[in-house]
Amino acid sequence: MERENSTVVTEFILLGLTQSQQAQLLIFVLVLVFYLTILPGNLLIILTIRSDPGLTAPLYFFLGNLAFLDASYSFIVAPRMLMDFLSEKKIISYRGCITQLFFLHFLGAGEMFLLVVMAFDRYMAICHPLHYTTVMNPRICYALLLALWLGGFTHSIVQVALILHLPFCGPNQLDNFFCDVPQVIKLACTDTFVVELLMVSNSGLLTLLCFLGLLASYAVILYRVKGHTSEGKHKALSTCTTHIIIVFLMFGPAIFIYTRPFRAFPADKVVSLFHTVIFPLMNPVIYTLRNQEVKASMRRLLSRHMVC
């Protein structure tokens, strides 16, 4: 009987961001304009870094991967959310929900680990410049990239495995505009206290530790920068400031969502919107706007194609 109950729910109804038609229309237009404006910018960053032989340093290699991760991450939630705004009934199948949840945490954790790798790259470049080219050689960079993808996969598969063992026998209304761990767990028809603790440990604690570790590493870097020349200090400060902004944009909402007990808060949906749609697309753009080399290469690429 327990096994039968666990397969009763075959689909979930997404309640969405708001029930107001006017608010839905406004959010739809704003998100669509933002999405269609910023997403091509992310793709342009990837194309620029791939096509310019001068942008082969590890910093640009990881920036290109960040743009790819963020663009991929935005595809998980935004397109379906935009379609749901135009739908009377917002339904997602059980398998579709689990698939969305898997890729959300797979790419999200991958990006989190990538930011850790980028912090390590900046630490080596600024604090140990003589050893930088030896340590951050292409082989090591690809190994770090593989490790962060494996880390993201491991994190996500644990999330999914815990949810797949939960019985869902109704109700099936998800109070959100996409499938995520806190809302899905609430619908399980069993005591989820232990599972919630495991989820908080796997997502919340990991996110918090990475966040604190990143802040500590950038504090060390900024302290070491004081002894540099004015030109080197300015460039290091500019790069580190950009990284710190991205760390707060990435980890702030994640800490709010995953490091507390799974109880609903009024700000949950707004935070989730920025965490899954807005900030991921902004991250590479913020990096690029503060990087003169990438901006110059992008202008050359665009001018070549405009001339052609």
Side-chain angles (χ1 to χ4, degrees), residues 103-116:
F103 282 104
L104 190 75
H105 284 269
F106 174 39
L107 296 175
E111 180 174 350
M112 181 175 67
F113 295 139
L114 178 57
L115 291 176
V116 173

Side-chain angles (χ1 to χ4, degrees), residues 12-24:
F12 294 106
I13 299 172
L14 301 172
L15 297 183
L17 272 170
T18 176
Q19 300 302 311
S20 168
Q21 292 294 326
Q22 291 83 0
Q24 285 191 37

Side-chain angles (χ1 to χ4, degrees), residues 210-224:
C210 285
F211 176 69
L212 295 176
L214 284 167
L215 290 185
S217 67
Y218 283 117
V220 172
I221 292 171
L222 292 174
Y223 177 77
R224 296 289 294 271

Side-chain angles (χ1 to χ4, degrees), residues 41-82:
N42 281 266
L43 300 178
L44 179 60
I45 292 169
I46 298 171
L47 181 62
T48 301
I49 292 173
R50 293 282 296 176
S51 61
D52 191 339
L55 300 178
T56 56
L59 172 65
Y60 305 115
F61 172 75
F62 293 128
L63 176 58
N65 280 277
L66 178 69
F68 174 76
L69 270 173
D70 280 326
S72 302
Y73 191 81
S74 68
F75 277 116
I76 301 170
V77 174
R80 183 180 181 89
M81 181 186 71
L82 291 171

Side-chain angles (χ1 to χ4, degrees), residues 218-282:
Y218 283 117
V220 172
I221 292 171
L222 292 174
Y223 177 77
R224 296 289 294 271
V225 161
K226 290 195 302 183
H228 288 209
T229 61
S230 58
E231 184 181 351
K233 182 187 293 186
H234 175 74
K235 188 171 182 180
L237 284 174
S238 177
T239 303
C240 289
T241 302
T242 307
H243 283 224
I244 292 168
I245 291 171
I246 301 303
V247 166
F248 274 98
L249 290 181
M250 171 70 184
F251 284 89
I255 290 171
F256 177 83
I257 295 169
Y258 299 115
T259 58
R260 56 182 171 80
F262 296 150
R263 300 291 180 267
F265 281 75
D268 281 354
K269 291 182 182 180
V270 176
V271 174
S272 294
L273 175 65
F274 279 90
H275 182 55
T276 58
V277 179
I278 307 299
F279 288 158
L281 290 173
M282 286 176 60

